[in-house]
Amino acid sequence: MGDDKGHAILEAQSVEECLIEQRWGDYTPQDHATWQTLYNRQVGALKGHVCDEYLDGLRRLHLGPDTVPDYEKLNRHLRAATGWEVLPVPGLIASKPFFTMLSNRQFPAGTFIRKPEQLDYLEEPDIFHDVFGHIPLLSHPDYASYMQEYGKAGLKALDHKGIKFLARLNWYTIEFGLIRNNGEVRAYGAGIMSSFGETKYLINDPSSNWLQFDVDRVLRTGYYIDDLQATYFTIDSFEALFKECIERPFLPLYEKFRAMPTLSPFELYPEDRILRRGTGEYWREFPKTKTKLK
Ligand SMILES: [Fe+2]
């Protein structure tokens, strides 16, 4: 899903103006081979480190490695599961139609797939990120409700200067969230699912902090869009995430937090519940400035 990095690409303000056709028949054998390569590589890398709800979603939606997914077929399974559907769009879209779609249980997804030479890094989300990353969990009832509420919150935030804070919530849950699963910490965020580099880093590199999720902390914590995460936040369940967010009135928080300093993804604070204290090793090697902090 898009964060705020390219929402201005399209000026369209209505959902209808954003929609395109997928034209599944136009994918080339190379496109299907790219999907297969990415799919198999990620399923292998994530083994034992991805939450059960995600794997259940892959199975339930019949999302397999063989071909680029056909949205018409995918939607039959997705609608039956939770009433969500995928709508094809040209790329990142403006905030208003984006949040409108989510609030109606419609997920805007790109149709293009990266080129073989772009397997490891892509500026804009492609169909592998959007579908492999985001769609399986939309078959889970609590995650599906959370995503819809996120869309509704987005529409309200547009009128209350709250987008910056909601983008952080998106970043630290939907894109890079961790979840407790049978006593272990596993991944569920789409930015992890669709990235070989982030997956390897999360699993093998001790640099990052893993903290217990806290709504206020997340809304106040900045992030970098172009590097691996210094801190990840762990939820107890999708039900708990949904409840914690729905019970917190966001509008007064936006006003309150605007007057407070942005928290750093590199720092630990006294109230943090630390599940894993990172070594910070990676950041000593690749120091970041605060200039591009979102
Ligand atoms: Fe995404």
Side-chain angles (χ1 to χ4, degrees):
M1 187 174 81
D3 46 81
D4 59 347
K5 62 186 160 185
H7 276 163
I9 288 175
L10 286 184
E11 296 298 318
Q13 286 301 299
S14 77
V15 169
E16 290 69 29
E17 286 174 285
C18 297
L19 301 182
I20 59 170
E21 275 181 67
Q22 185 187 20
R23 301 173 70 94
W24 189 82
D26 289 353
Y27 290 111
T28 65
Q30 187 187 73
D31 292 335
H32 294 304
T34 298
W35 173 272
Q36 190 168 57
T37 301
L38 290 166
Y39 185 106
N40 288 332
R41 185 170 75 163
Q42 275 312 93
V43 166
L46 289 162
K47 203 171 169 67
H49 302 281
V50 58
C51 67
D52 294 340
E53 293 90 337
Y54 176 88
L55 295 174
D56 289 345
L58 274 188
R59 278 189 291 273
R60 178 150 198 196
L61 301 178
H62 301 262
L63 271 170
D66 296 340
T67 62
V68 173
D70 179 341
Y71 287 167
E72 212 179 296
K73 289 181 187 161
L74 175 60
N75 278 338
R76 283 204 286 273
H77 300 299
L78 188 53
R79 284 191 199 106
T82 53
W84 272 83
E85 60 183 345
V86 177
L87 294 184
V89 296
L92 293 164
I93 59 172
S95 298
K96 194 170 175 198
F98 174 73
F99 290 127
T100 302
M101 281 187 214
L102 296 186
S103 69
N104 290 321
R105 296 201 168 215
Q106 296 168 325
F107 191 88
T111 59
F112 81 97
I113 187 155
R114 66 195 76 182
K115 299 290 167 221
E117 62 273 18
Q118 300 171 303
L119 288 193
D120 292 322
Y121 185 72
L122 205 59
E123 291 252 318
E124 270 212 47
D126 68 344
I127 190 169
F128 187 71
H129 171 78
D130 281 343
V131 175
F132 187 85
H134 285 286
I135 303 302
L137 284 176
L138 286 173
S139 68
H140 186 279
D142 294 321
Y143 186 92
S145 299
Y146 174 70
M147 193 66 117
Q148 182 177 26
E149 285 306 314
Y150 183 80
K152 289 184 195 170
L155 288 174
K156 283 187 209 156
L158 285 175
D159 302 325
H160 292 86
K161 297 187 191 152
I163 294 297
K164 176 171 84 174
F165 302 105
L166 267 194
R168 293 173 184 162
L169 181 64
N170 170 58
W171 192 260
Y172 287 118
T173 62
I174 294 162
E175 293 294 350
F176 293 99
L178 305 180
I179 184 170
R180 227 179 285 267
N181 237 195
N182 309 314
E184 287 177 17
V185 175
R186 307 268 186 93
Y188 73 88
I192 304 168
M193 296 304 148
S194 64
S195 164
F196 191 53
E198 189 96 22
T199 301
K200 279 193 301 182
Y201 165 81
L202 178 70
I203 294 169
N204 301 320
D205 191 318
S207 295
S208 60
N209 301 312
W210 298 1
L211 305 184
Q212 179 69 30
F213 175 80
D214 178 86
V215 180
D216 293 33
R217 167 69 148 97
V218 164
L219 293 184
R220 291 188 58 200
T221 305
Y223 61 92
Y224 293 96
I225 63 167
D226 59 352
D227 214 327
L228 302 163
Q229 310 313 306
T231 293
Y232 297 88
F233 291 91
T234 307
I235 59 171
D236 287 332
S237 66
F238 294 120
E239 188 189 6
L241 172 65
F242 177 74
K243 273 194 187 154
E244 280 173 61
C245 290
I246 205 109
E247 283 167 3
R248 205 83 180 92
F250 277 16
L251 296 188
L253 290 184
Y254 301 150
E255 204 178 322
K256 183 175 157 197
F257 293 160
R258 258 200 306 277
M260 296 166 78
T262 297
L263 299 181
S264 161
F266 302 109
E267 303 283 331
L268 292 172
Y269 297 91
E271 304 80 28
D272 288 340
R273 281 178 287 162
I274 302 166
L275 307 180
R276 186 182 90 166
R277 188 185 291 268
T279 63
E281 199 63 35
Y282 176 85
W283 305 104
R284 276 192 284 280
E285 215 175 316
F286 303 103
K288 304 288 287 185
T289 64
K290 298 208 171 192
T291 48
K292 284 160 74 186
L293 195 64
K294 292 274 186 185

